[in-house]
Each structure stands twice: as C-alpha cells, then as structure tokens.
Amino acid sequence: MTTTLTPTEVREPRRTRRPKSARAGGTLHAGPLGYAVLVLFSVGSLFPLVWTAIAASRDNNRLAETPPPFWFGSNLMHNLNVAWNDANLGKALVNTTFVAGVSAATIVFLSTIAGFAFAKLRFRGRNALMLIVIGTMMVPPQLSIIPLYMMVAKLDWTDQLQAVILPSLVSAFGVFFMRQYLMQALPDELIEAARVDGAGSWRVVWHIVFPAARPAMAVLGMLMFVQTWNDFLWPFLVLTQNGSPTVQVAVSALGRGYTPDQSLIMAGALLGTLPLLLVFAVFGKQIVGGIMQGAVKG
Amino acid sequence: MATRHHTAAPPVGEGGAAPAHSRAASDAGERRRARLSRRWQRDVRWSPYAFVSPFFLLFVAFGLFPLLYTGWASLHTVELTAPTDMRWAGLHNYTRIFDDDFFWNAARNTLTIGVISTVPQLAMAMGLAHILNYKLRASTFFRVVMLAPYATSIAAASLVFVLLFGRDYGMINWALHFVGIGHIDWQNDKWPSQIAVSSIVVWRWTGYNALIYLAAMQAVPQDLYESAALDGANRWQQFFHVTLPQLRPTILFTCVVSTIGASQLFGEPLMFDANKGASGGAEHQFQTLGLYLYEQGWVNQHLGRASAIAWTMFLILIVIGIVNYVISRRLRESG
C-alpha cells in the first residue's frame, strides 16, 4: 500500500457552518510525545494488515514457528492464485462491487431528495417525519433479519443479489447527513430564483440541488460503499458460498472451512481487503472529511 | 412597458373578428395561467412528500414492518424448515429463553465484551483526537492511516486476529513471553477470549471515533480557550474544563452508537471460534447475544425463539435509549 505523504502545509481553515476561528488547541504545535503516540497508533493500525500480507506470502508450515515471521516469504503469488480460485473470489468481487455500487448510488439519490425536502421545503408533518428518521438511526437493522429472511425464503430469493441489496437501501443516516449539508450549502435565494423563473420542483432538484450537493453526495456515496462492502451478517445468512457470495461470505467461508492452511486463508483475507484499501489510499482524505462532517454536533 | 388589461372590454369599432379573436386568446391564456397556477399549488404542496416518500416506503417495508413482525413471530412456534407455518405459542418462547442458562451467559458476555471494547476504545479515541487537534505535520496521513482498520472487513480482521492471538505460535504470546508472561490460551479461557474478541472491535473503531471527536473539538469556540488561558488554566485544565464539557453531547452519542454496536456483535465472535460453530467457543465463553440469536434461529432452527431474543434485545436498547435521553436532558439543564 503506497500512500503519498501530504506536503506539510498550514491547513486551510475548515469550512464550518458558522465562521469559526480555525482550531481549538490553537496554534500550538504537537510535541515529540504527541508524534510518538501517533506513530505508535499508526503502526498498531497498519500492523495487522501488513502482517496479513506477510502470512499470505509464506507457506503454511513456516507460519507455525517461533519467532513468528516478520518478513515476506516467496509464496505470495501462488497463495493468492489458489485462494482466488478456491474461494470463488473473482465472482465474489464482481458481486460485491455490484451490490455496494447499486446500494450506494440508490441511497445517495434518495437521501439527497429527502434531505433537500427536510432542509428547505415547508410541509405539514415535516418535524414529526424528521424525528422518525432520527429515531430509525437508533434501531439496529439486525433486529429485522428474521422476517426479512422469511420474506426472502418466500420469494425464493436465496442466493439472489437483490436479497442483499434491498434491505440495505434504508439509510436514515444518509437522509440526516444530506439534510445537514444542504441546510448550510444551499442558499434559499437560489431556490427562490428558480421558482420565480417557473421551474417545477423536480427541475429545481435537478438543476440546483444536485449541483450544490455534489461534494456531500460523493462523500456519502463513498461511506455507503464502504459500509455495504463490509456488511457481514445479512449476506452471510442469505448467500451461500457456492452460489453468488459477496467477498465477506467468501472470505469467511475460507476461515470456516476445515483447511488447515493458514497462509491460504490469509491470502483470501488480503484479497478481500485490498480493493477497499486501494479506495482508501486514493480517496482517504475525502472519506476522513466526510466522517468528520457527518459527526453529529449535539 | 405597455400593460394590457384584458379585464376591460375592448372598445367597440375596432373591427369585427379581431376583438373576438383576441378575447378568445386572452381567455385561453387565463385558463392556461389558472391551470398552471393550480399545478403550481399542487407542486408546492405535494412535491415534498414525493421527495421523502421513497425513504419512508423502504423504511416501512424493510425496517418497521420486519421489526413489528419479529414481535409477532416471537409469540409463535416457527421453524426454519417451514417459515410460513406459524402456531400460536403465547409467551412460551420468552419463558424458554429466560430459563436457558446460555441466554444469561450470552447477556453477561455481551455486557462484559461491550464494556471492555467500548471504554478503552472511546478513551483512546479521545486522547488521539486531542493530539490530532494540535498543529501537525502530515496530519491527513495520520488520519487516513487510523481509518484503515475501518476499511477492513470483519471477516478479514477476525481471521488475522485469530492468528495473532494463536496459543502456540501467535505473535501476541511471543511478544508477551519477553515480559515473562506464559502462554495464554486466547481462545479457550474466558477472560482472554473476551479480551481478544474485544480487541478486534477496538482495533476497527478507535480511529473512526477519534475522527468524530476531532470534528467536535474543532467546533469548540476558540474564545473559550482564550478566556480559560487568561484565567491561568494550563493545557490539562483547559482539556478537562473546556474541551470535555463541550464534547458531552458527542461523547454521549458515541456511547450510544458503540453500545448498539456491541449489543449486535456477531461476526467477530463467529469468526474467532476455532470449532467453526456458532456457540462462541467450546463453552460459550465468548458467545454474544447476536451469536446466540443466530445459533437459535439458524443452527437449531427455532425462528420463533430467535425472534423472542431479537425482541428482548430491542427492548433492552429502548431502555438504554430512554436512559440516554434522560441523562442528556439532565446535562442540558445543568449545563
């Protein structure tokens, strides 16, 4: 994994809802102790990932030794190859990309129009409905799996990707996130002006809301993509390994089979994680910004 | 600009057909305008509902209905083999669960794993956020690196941790033997296994929560720090008397989210089990409620009983939510 170090720069003040002095903690520079802690945590964050690659590059007999291996062996390509074929990973990657892509795109679209209505339009029951949205953020989706499973069984959707996609489209967080963003990013005057020019609601959405919401839509899309990609419980229940697994199901099957070959399992885990890590290496900055933007401010 | 008033009748003697024609035209215009404005009214009134309805339809179909149906199913005997065949059982499922030692065991495990994963996680996240809040070189790099575990899937992360926590050849035991600690059996002993499962959660979520705290810290007004500094507060005192009180709502929020997350733990204990079952270790030593639900529903095939477990978990969460609401109101009144 290669990440380019950002050049040191004076950080531009963040765009917040109200103009604020840029940062608490002030202009104080972190001391060496601060850096030491950060480096330690970074090593802790990356070590399991790096070690996955190390373990995947060995052969199994060399894994069980003392001291444990700290450097790469020569079997990486071979193990990746075997794991790829054993775990049906090619198909799994295509499936997962499809599921996460469709989910993220749909959630972004629906959240944007709903968020726009909650942020900028007046209608009866607006506050009550918004409360319901916030309430649903607190209800874990896993509590509904049993009836969902019954539905899927009844519709004969087991092993069909739509069984994974449909329940994942409910995202109260998305609606909340877009509402927060549009409240501050979309001036009322713009909507007024378009209204005066005789634009209907859908035209306003198309020509004004979507362009204004584009940055937030990109961030929400990435967050949802990551989340759907890493969904485990529900795909695990409705997809089988031999039918059309997602990456999670395929990787977990590697670990739950009776293969004693740990380095193969690690190769599978590595393959299942790598695509997302690449996304992070490229868009990490935006994803970090998105999570910080979405942080609920009391 | 000349304005035409079509309301006034056109003067007589301006030709025969033309006035009639213009009158017809103006009538048509008015009708069109009226129609437009009616459509306009309708648009303004109803379009917001059109915008929010897709979300609510999906929510009702895949959120609310299943949740209520879970409650209904929990009062029936339903088997996984014939999910449509429901027989009324009253509260039988609930009494069965509450008589089951494994349910209480799972509830205790969920609580302990929840505590030992949430508390260190949030405490470390707070410390990290505090450091990240200083002026830093490569601050973006640190933030992205800390978020890398969040991008790692539960399945992959759990598999790696199983190896790292291996009893005989694991990295962790190897490191510990330098400190003189013998071979810990991370999979079979109760406390070590719970610590190991918790560490997967801590590893995946600490960086994420640090970013949330950091965002909240950056929203604290600067003048609060300045006045604290004027009053002679040093950095620590500023942190404890300015930062922490300002972050209260955010801390509460992360506590609630982490609690919900902990109560739902499923993938980590499932993947951590050496025996490949859903029992959470040979003696259920790290079986969580989420895993217990799965075991009852999909391994033992009692969907009705699984529904009762789900509904019990839901009620527990509602209680937590109410407690949280009361606490936050108290805080607001006192603050």
Side-chain angles (χ1 to χ4, degrees), chain A residues 90-131:
Chain A
K91 192 173 178 190
L93 278 171
V94 172
N95 284 344
T96 318
T97 311
F98 175 74
V99 167
V102 170
S103 286
T106 314
I107 288 175
V108 167
F109 176 75
L110 297 182
S111 300
T112 307
I113 56 177
F116 162 64
F118 281 125
K120 293 289 170 184
L121 302 179
R122 307 189 162 284
F123 54 98
R124 200 180 292 195
R126 181 173 85 164
N127 295 345
L129 288 176
M130 193 64 218
L131 270 181

mmCIF file of all heavy atoms in Angstrom, chain A residues 90-131:
data_model
loop_
_atom_site.group_PDB
_atom_site.id
_atom_site.type_symbol
_atom_site.label_atom_id
_atom_site.label_comp_id
_atom_site.label_asym_id
_atom_site.label_seq_id
_atom_site.Cartn_x
_atom_site.Cartn_y
_atom_site.Cartn_z
ATOM 1 N N GLY A 90 -13.162 -14.230 -7.630
ATOM 2 C CA GLY A 90 -13.418 -13.379 -8.780
ATOM 3 C C GLY A 90 -14.882 -13.002 -8.857
ATOM 4 O O GLY A 90 -15.255 -11.829 -8.935
ATOM 5 N N LYS A 91 -15.726 -14.023 -8.766
ATOM 6 C CA LYS A 91 -17.164 -13.789 -8.816
ATOM 7 C C LYS A 91 -17.600 -12.949 -7.622
ATOM 8 O O LYS A 91 -18.447 -12.058 -7.741
ATOM 9 C CB LYS A 91 -17.887 -15.136 -8.811
ATOM 10 C CG LYS A 91 -19.354 -14.999 -9.141
ATOM 11 C CD LYS A 91 -20.025 -16.344 -9.300
ATOM 12 C CE LYS A 91 -21.501 -16.106 -9.587
ATOM 13 N NZ LYS A 91 -22.286 -17.324 -9.535
ATOM 14 N N ALA A 92 -17.007 -13.256 -6.453
ATOM 15 C CA ALA A 92 -17.381 -12.530 -5.244
ATOM 16 C C ALA A 92 -17.072 -11.041 -5.377
ATOM 17 O O ALA A 92 -17.861 -10.190 -4.963
ATOM 18 C CB ALA A 92 -16.659 -13.112 -4.038
ATOM 19 N N LEU A 93 -15.916 -10.736 -5.966
ATOM 20 C CA LEU A 93 -15.550 -9.318 -6.127
ATOM 21 C C LEU A 93 -16.528 -8.605 -7.049
ATOM 22 O O LEU A 93 -16.974 -7.491 -6.759
ATOM 23 C CB LEU A 93 -14.122 -9.200 -6.676
ATOM 24 C CG LEU A 93 -13.006 -9.311 -5.645
ATOM 25 C CD1 LEU A 93 -11.653 -9.401 -6.323
ATOM 26 C CD2 LEU A 93 -13.037 -8.099 -4.711
ATOM 27 N N VAL A 94 -16.868 -9.254 -8.155
ATOM 28 C CA VAL A 94 -17.844 -8.651 -9.075
ATOM 29 C C VAL A 94 -19.171 -8.426 -8.350
ATOM 30 O O VAL A 94 -19.756 -7.335 -8.401
ATOM 31 C CB VAL A 94 -18.037 -9.555 -10.312
ATOM 32 C CG1 VAL A 94 -19.182 -9.042 -11.178
ATOM 33 C CG2 VAL A 94 -16.754 -9.609 -11.123
ATOM 34 N N ASN A 95 -19.635 -9.459 -7.643
ATOM 35 C CA ASN A 95 -20.897 -9.349 -6.898
ATOM 36 C C ASN A 95 -20.877 -8.201 -5.906
ATOM 37 O O ASN A 95 -21.817 -7.404 -5.825
ATOM 38 C CB ASN A 95 -21.163 -10.632 -6.106
ATOM 39 C CG ASN A 95 -21.640 -11.742 -6.988
ATOM 40 O OD1 ASN A 95 -22.058 -11.492 -8.114
ATOM 41 N ND2 ASN A 95 -21.560 -12.966 -6.506
ATOM 42 N N THR A 96 -19.800 -8.148 -5.113
ATOM 43 C CA THR A 96 -19.740 -7.153 -4.051
ATOM 44 C C THR A 96 -19.679 -5.748 -4.626
ATOM 45 O O THR A 96 -20.332 -4.835 -4.119
ATOM 46 C CB THR A 96 -18.520 -7.395 -3.145
ATOM 47 O OG1 THR A 96 -18.412 -8.785 -2.919
ATOM 48 C CG2 THR A 96 -18.675 -6.674 -1.828
ATOM 49 N N THR A 97 -18.888 -5.585 -5.681
ATOM 50 C CA THR A 97 -18.815 -4.274 -6.312
ATOM 51 C C THR A 97 -20.190 -3.862 -6.808
ATOM 52 O O THR A 97 -20.616 -2.722 -6.629
ATOM 53 C CB THR A 97 -17.827 -4.307 -7.497
ATOM 54 O OG1 THR A 97 -16.619 -4.905 -7.051
ATOM 55 C CG2 THR A 97 -17.543 -2.911 -8.004
ATOM 56 N N PHE A 98 -20.904 -4.801 -7.406
ATOM 57 C CA PHE A 98 -22.239 -4.515 -7.924
ATOM 58 C C PHE A 98 -23.186 -4.129 -6.778
ATOM 59 O O PHE A 98 -23.840 -3.089 -6.825
ATOM 60 C CB PHE A 98 -22.772 -5.744 -8.671
ATOM 61 C CG PHE A 98 -24.182 -5.587 -9.148
ATOM 62 C CD1 PHE A 98 -24.467 -4.773 -10.246
ATOM 63 C CD2 PHE A 98 -25.229 -6.241 -8.518
ATOM 64 C CE1 PHE A 98 -25.767 -4.627 -10.687
ATOM 65 C CE2 PHE A 98 -26.534 -6.087 -8.952
ATOM 66 C CZ PHE A 98 -26.805 -5.279 -10.040
ATOM 67 N N VAL A 99 -23.212 -4.965 -5.741
ATOM 68 C CA VAL A 99 -24.109 -4.708 -4.612
ATOM 69 C C VAL A 99 -23.798 -3.355 -3.972
ATOM 70 O O VAL A 99 -24.684 -2.518 -3.771
ATOM 71 C CB VAL A 99 -23.992 -5.829 -3.555
ATOM 72 C CG1 VAL A 99 -24.662 -5.424 -2.255
ATOM 73 C CG2 VAL A 99 -24.606 -7.103 -4.084
ATOM 74 N N ALA A 100 -22.512 -3.132 -3.669
ATOM 75 C CA ALA A 100 -22.136 -1.886 -2.988
ATOM 76 C C ALA A 100 -22.393 -0.690 -3.894
ATOM 77 O O ALA A 100 -22.848 0.361 -3.431
ATOM 78 C CB ALA A 100 -20.670 -1.940 -2.570
ATOM 79 N N GLY A 101 -22.136 -0.839 -5.187
ATOM 80 C CA GLY A 101 -22.351 0.275 -6.113
ATOM 81 C C GLY A 101 -23.816 0.646 -6.222
ATOM 82 O O GLY A 101 -24.194 1.814 -6.094
ATOM 83 N N VAL A 102 -24.664 -0.358 -6.442
ATOM 84 C CA VAL A 102 -26.100 -0.090 -6.579
ATOM 85 C C VAL A 102 -26.652 0.497 -5.277
ATOM 86 O O VAL A 102 -27.383 1.489 -5.285
ATOM 87 C CB VAL A 102 -26.858 -1.388 -6.947
ATOM 88 C CG1 VAL A 102 -28.361 -1.170 -6.855
ATOM 89 C CG2 VAL A 102 -26.489 -1.828 -8.347
ATOM 90 N N SER A 103 -26.264 -0.102 -4.147
ATOM 91 C CA SER A 103 -26.747 0.404 -2.855
ATOM 92 C C SER A 103 -26.330 1.851 -2.652
ATOM 93 O O SER A 103 -27.157 2.702 -2.320
ATOM 94 C CB SER A 103 -26.183 -0.430 -1.709
ATOM 95 O OG SER A 103 -26.830 -1.648 -1.658
ATOM 96 N N ALA A 104 -25.035 2.116 -2.853
ATOM 97 C CA ALA A 104 -24.532 3.465 -2.594
ATOM 98 C C ALA A 104 -25.224 4.466 -3.503
ATOM 99 O O ALA A 104 -25.678 5.520 -3.045
ATOM 100 C CB ALA A 104 -23.016 3.506 -2.788
ATOM 101 N N ALA A 105 -25.349 4.149 -4.797
ATOM 102 C CA ALA A 105 -25.957 5.100 -5.730
ATOM 103 C C ALA A 105 -27.413 5.373 -5.359
ATOM 104 O O ALA A 105 -27.858 6.528 -5.326
ATOM 105 C CB ALA A 105 -25.862 4.557 -7.155
ATOM 106 N N THR A 106 -28.161 4.314 -5.052
ATOM 107 C CA THR A 106 -29.571 4.496 -4.706
ATOM 108 C C THR A 106 -29.720 5.309 -3.426
ATOM 109 O O THR A 106 -30.527 6.233 -3.354
ATOM 110 C CB THR A 106 -30.254 3.130 -4.519
ATOM 111 O OG1 THR A 106 -29.872 2.290 -5.594
ATOM 112 C CG2 THR A 106 -31.751 3.272 -4.503
ATOM 113 N N ILE A 107 -28.917 4.954 -2.417
ATOM 114 C CA ILE A 107 -29.005 5.671 -1.141
ATOM 115 C C ILE A 107 -28.683 7.142 -1.350
ATOM 116 O O ILE A 107 -29.375 8.026 -0.821
ATOM 117 C CB ILE A 107 -28.046 5.051 -0.100
ATOM 118 C CG1 ILE A 107 -28.581 3.697 0.352
ATOM 119 C CG2 ILE A 107 -27.891 5.968 1.100
ATOM 120 C CD1 ILE A 107 -27.661 2.961 1.276
ATOM 121 N N VAL A 108 -27.647 7.432 -2.135
ATOM 122 C CA VAL A 108 -27.271 8.825 -2.354
ATOM 123 C C VAL A 108 -28.419 9.587 -3.015
ATOM 124 O O VAL A 108 -28.795 10.681 -2.585
ATOM 125 C CB VAL A 108 -25.991 8.924 -3.214
ATOM 126 C CG1 VAL A 108 -25.776 10.340 -3.708
ATOM 127 C CG2 VAL A 108 -24.795 8.469 -2.402
ATOM 128 N N PHE A 109 -29.021 9.002 -4.044
ATOM 129 C CA PHE A 109 -30.105 9.685 -4.755
ATOM 130 C C PHE A 109 -31.293 9.933 -3.818
ATOM 131 O O PHE A 109 -31.758 11.069 -3.668
ATOM 132 C CB PHE A 109 -30.539 8.852 -5.966
ATOM 133 C CG PHE A 109 -31.706 9.444 -6.697
ATOM 134 C CD1 PHE A 109 -31.540 10.562 -7.507
ATOM 135 C CD2 PHE A 109 -32.971 8.888 -6.570
ATOM 136 C CE1 PHE A 109 -32.620 11.119 -8.174
ATOM 137 C CE2 PHE A 109 -34.054 9.443 -7.227
ATOM 138 C CZ PHE A 109 -33.884 10.563 -8.032
ATOM 139 N N LEU A 110 -31.752 8.882 -3.150
ATOM 140 C CA LEU A 110 -32.930 9.023 -2.293
ATOM 141 C C LEU A 110 -32.653 9.939 -1.106
ATOM 142 O O LEU A 110 -33.512 10.723 -0.702
ATOM 143 C CB LEU A 110 -33.393 7.643 -1.795
ATOM 144 C CG LEU A 110 -33.849 6.684 -2.893
ATOM 145 C CD1 LEU A 110 -34.329 5.375 -2.287
ATOM 146 C CD2 LEU A 110 -34.967 7.301 -3.730
ATOM 147 N N SER A 111 -31.437 9.845 -0.543
ATOM 148 C CA SER A 111 -31.107 10.690 0.605
ATOM 149 C C SER A 111 -31.046 12.151 0.194
ATOM 150 O O SER A 111 -31.406 13.031 0.980
ATOM 151 C CB SER A 111 -29.763 10.288 1.201
ATOM 152 O OG SER A 111 -29.799 8.970 1.635
ATOM 153 N N THR A 112 -30.574 12.420 -1.030
ATOM 154 C CA THR A 112 -30.451 13.807 -1.453
ATOM 155 C C THR A 112 -31.825 14.449 -1.602
ATOM 156 O O THR A 112 -32.052 15.551 -1.107
ATOM 157 C CB THR A 112 -29.676 13.903 -2.781
ATOM 158 O OG1 THR A 112 -28.445 13.200 -2.637
ATOM 159 C CG2 THR A 112 -29.373 15.347 -3.130
ATOM 160 N N ILE A 113 -32.761 13.765 -2.273
ATOM 161 C CA ILE A 113 -34.069 14.398 -2.440
ATOM 162 C C ILE A 113 -34.801 14.509 -1.100
ATOM 163 O O ILE A 113 -35.390 15.550 -0.792
ATOM 164 C CB ILE A 113 -34.949 13.695 -3.504
ATOM 165 C CG1 ILE A 113 -35.137 12.221 -3.199
ATOM 166 C CG2 ILE A 113 -34.388 13.891 -4.898
ATOM 167 C CD1 ILE A 113 -36.061 11.529 -4.200
ATOM 168 N N ALA A 114 -34.684 13.471 -0.262
ATOM 169 C CA ALA A 114 -35.355 13.546 1.034
ATOM 170 C C ALA A 114 -34.689 14.606 1.910
ATOM 171 O O ALA A 114 -35.366 15.407 2.565
ATOM 172 C CB ALA A 114 -35.329 12.190 1.723
ATOM 173 N N GLY A 115 -33.368 14.630 1.897
ATOM 174 C CA GLY A 115 -32.644 15.623 2.696
ATOM 175 C C GLY A 115 -32.978 17.036 2.251
ATOM 176 O O GLY A 115 -33.129 17.940 3.075
ATOM 177 N N PHE A 116 -33.132 17.227 0.947
ATOM 178 C CA PHE A 116 -33.500 18.542 0.415
ATOM 179 C C PHE A 116 -34.875 18.950 0.940
ATOM 180 O O PHE A 116 -35.077 20.073 1.413
ATOM 181 C CB PHE A 116 -33.483 18.506 -1.116
ATOM 182 C CG PHE A 116 -34.240 19.619 -1.773
ATOM 183 C CD1 PHE A 116 -33.835 20.945 -1.625
ATOM 184 C CD2 PHE A 116 -35.356 19.345 -2.550
ATOM 185 C CE1 PHE A 116 -34.538 21.979 -2.234
ATOM 186 C CE2 PHE A 116 -36.067 20.381 -3.152
ATOM 187 C CZ PHE A 116 -35.660 21.686 -2.993
ATOM 188 N N ALA A 117 -35.831 18.026 0.887
ATOM 189 C CA ALA A 117 -37.170 18.353 1.369
ATOM 190 C C ALA A 117 -37.131 18.738 2.847
ATOM 191 O O ALA A 117 -37.738 19.733 3.262
ATOM 192 C CB ALA A 117 -38.109 17.166 1.154
ATOM 193 N N PHE A 118 -36.368 17.978 3.633
ATOM 194 C CA PHE A 118 -36.313 18.278 5.072
ATOM 195 C C PHE A 118 -35.558 19.566 5.358
ATOM 196 O O PHE A 118 -35.831 20.254 6.329
ATOM 197 C CB PHE A 118 -35.662 17.120 5.833
ATOM 198 C CG PHE A 118 -36.583 15.973 6.074
ATOM 199 C CD1 PHE A 118 -36.254 14.694 5.660
ATOM 200 C CD2 PHE A 118 -37.795 16.170 6.719
ATOM 201 C CE1 PHE A 118 -37.109 13.632 5.881
ATOM 202 C CE2 PHE A 118 -38.657 15.115 6.947
ATOM 203 C CZ PHE A 118 -38.313 13.841 6.521
ATOM 204 N N ALA A 119 -34.586 19.881 4.511
ATOM 205 C CA ALA A 119 -33.755 21.054 4.786
ATOM 206 C C ALA A 119 -34.428 22.334 4.309
ATOM 207 O O ALA A 119 -34.341 23.370 4.971
ATOM 208 C CB ALA A 119 -32.394 20.895 4.115
ATOM 209 N N LYS A 120 -35.116 22.300 3.165
ATOM 210 C CA LYS A 120 -35.500 23.554 2.524
ATOM 211 C C LYS A 120 -36.985 23.722 2.245
ATOM 212 O O LYS A 120 -37.415 24.804 1.872
ATOM 213 C CB LYS A 120 -34.743 23.675 1.179
ATOM 214 C CG LYS A 120 -33.252 23.843 1.356
ATOM 215 C CD LYS A 120 -32.949 25.203 1.914
ATOM 216 C CE LYS A 120 -31.498 25.313 2.319
ATOM 217 N NZ LYS A 120 -31.203 26.603 2.951
ATOM 218 N N LEU A 121 -37.769 22.685 2.337
ATOM 219 C CA LEU A 121 -39.180 22.840 1.975
ATOM 220 C C LEU A 121 -40.036 22.838 3.228
ATOM 221 O O LEU A 121 -39.709 22.203 4.220
ATOM 222 C CB LEU A 121 -39.615 21.705 1.034
ATOM 223 C CG LEU A 121 -38.810 21.579 -0.267
ATOM 224 C CD1 LEU A 121 -39.321 20.405 -1.077
ATOM 225 C CD2 LEU A 121 -38.910 22.855 -1.088
ATOM 226 N N ARG A 122 -41.139 23.582 3.140
ATOM 227 C CA ARG A 122 -42.075 23.572 4.263
ATOM 228 C C ARG A 122 -43.219 22.648 3.907
ATOM 229 O O ARG A 122 -43.809 22.785 2.844
ATOM 230 C CB ARG A 122 -42.638 24.965 4.505
ATOM 231 C CG ARG A 122 -41.546 25.977 4.661
ATOM 232 C CD ARG A 122 -42.102 27.317 5.116
ATOM 233 N NE ARG A 122 -41.005 28.120 5.649
ATOM 234 C CZ ARG A 122 -40.483 27.896 6.857
ATOM 235 N NH1 ARG A 122 -40.979 26.959 7.625
ATOM 236 N NH2 ARG A 122 -39.481 28.635 7.281
ATOM 237 N N PHE A 123 -43.529 21.718 4.772
ATOM 238 C CA PHE A 123 -44.719 20.917 4.537
ATOM 239 C C PHE A 123 -45.228 20.394 5.870
ATOM 240 O O PHE A 123 -44.494 20.340 6.856
ATOM 241 C CB PHE A 123 -44.447 19.761 3.561
ATOM 242 C CG PHE A 123 -43.306 18.865 3.950
ATOM 243 C CD1 PHE A 123 -43.542 17.666 4.598
ATOM 244 C CD2 PHE A 123 -41.990 19.214 3.633
ATOM 245 C CE1 PHE A 123 -42.493 16.830 4.938
ATOM 246 C CE2 PHE A 123 -40.937 18.377 3.979
ATOM 247 C CZ PHE A 123 -41.186 17.185 4.638
ATOM 248 N N ARG A 124 -46.486 20.047 5.878
ATOM 249 C CA ARG A 124 -47.099 19.635 7.121
ATOM 250 C C ARG A 124 -46.491 18.304 7.576
ATOM 251 O O ARG A 124 -46.319 17.390 6.770
ATOM 252 C CB ARG A 124 -48.597 19.471 6.928
ATOM 253 C CG ARG A 124 -49.336 19.514 8.239
ATOM 254 C CD ARG A 124 -50.793 19.349 8.012
ATOM 255 N NE ARG A 124 -51.354 20.521 7.319
ATOM 256 C CZ ARG A 124 -52.667 20.746 7.258
ATOM 257 N NH1 ARG A 124 -53.487 19.902 7.814
ATOM 258 N NH2 ARG A 124 -53.114 21.793 6.634
ATOM 259 N N GLY A 125 -46.155 18.199 8.830
ATOM 260 C CA GLY A 125 -45.614 16.955 9.359
ATOM 261 C C GLY A 125 -44.117 16.827 9.186
ATOM 262 O O GLY A 125 -43.549 15.779 9.451
ATOM 263 N N ARG A 126 -43.473 17.926 8.762
ATOM 264 C CA ARG A 126 -42.045 17.837 8.490
ATOM 265 C C ARG A 126 -41.253 17.424 9.732
ATOM 266 O O ARG A 126 -40.442 16.511 9.696
ATOM 267 C CB ARG A 126 -41.532 19.182 7.976
ATOM 268 C CG ARG A 126 -40.064 19.161 7.648
ATOM 269 C CD ARG A 126 -39.621 20.435 6.992
ATOM 270 N NE ARG A 126 -39.305 21.452 7.987
ATOM 271 C CZ ARG A 126 -38.596 22.553 7.701
ATOM 272 N NH1 ARG A 126 -38.190 22.759 6.465
ATOM 273 N NH2 ARG A 126 -38.330 23.432 8.624
ATOM 274 N N ASN A 127 -41.522 18.103 10.837
ATOM 275 C CA ASN A 127 -40.717 17.827 12.033
ATOM 276 C C ASN A 127 -40.976 16.432 12.586
ATOM 277 O O ASN A 127 -40.059 15.746 13.023
ATOM 278 C CB ASN A 127 -41.000 18.885 13.103
ATOM 279 C CG ASN A 127 -40.540 20.249 12.628
ATOM 280 O OD1 ASN A 127 -39.786 20.327 11.657
ATOM 281 N ND2 ASN A 127 -40.995 21.304 13.281
ATOM 282 N N ALA A 128 -42.258 16.030 12.518
ATOM 283 C CA ALA A 128 -42.579 14.691 13.019
ATOM 284 C C ALA A 128 -41.853 13.638 12.190
ATOM 285 O O ALA A 128 -41.258 12.700 12.731
ATOM 286 C CB ALA A 128 -44.090 14.468 12.965
ATOM 287 N N LEU A 129 -41.888 13.814 10.866
ATOM 288 C CA LEU A 129 -41.225 12.838 9.992
ATOM 289 C C LEU A 129 -39.720 12.826 10.237
ATOM 290 O O LEU A 129 -39.086 11.772 10.238
ATOM 291 C CB LEU A 129 -41.523 13.152 8.525
ATOM 292 C CG LEU A 129 -42.953 12.847 8.074
ATOM 293 C CD1 LEU A 129 -43.169 13.289 6.630
ATOM 294 C CD2 LEU A 129 -43.239 11.358 8.192
ATOM 295 N N MET A 130 -39.130 14.009 10.460
ATOM 296 C CA MET A 130 -37.696 14.065 10.705
ATOM 297 C C MET A 130 -37.345 13.332 11.997
ATOM 298 O O MET A 130 -36.328 12.656 12.083
ATOM 299 C CB MET A 130 -37.238 15.523 10.772
ATOM 300 C CG MET A 130 -35.725 15.674 10.718
ATOM 301 S SD MET A 130 -35.059 15.109 9.137
ATOM 302 C CE MET A 130 -33.545 14.317 9.647
ATOM 303 N N LEU A 131 -38.210 13.490 13.001
ATOM 304 C CA LEU A 131 -37.980 12.769 14.255
ATOM 305 C C LEU A 131 -37.981 11.268 14.014
ATOM 306 O O LEU A 131 -37.170 10.530 14.579
ATOM 307 C CB LEU A 131 -39.072 13.124 15.273
ATOM 308 C CG LEU A 131 -38.759 14.320 16.157
ATOM 309 C CD1 LEU A 131 -39.893 14.561 17.135
ATOM 310 C CD2 LEU A 131 -37.451 14.078 16.921
#
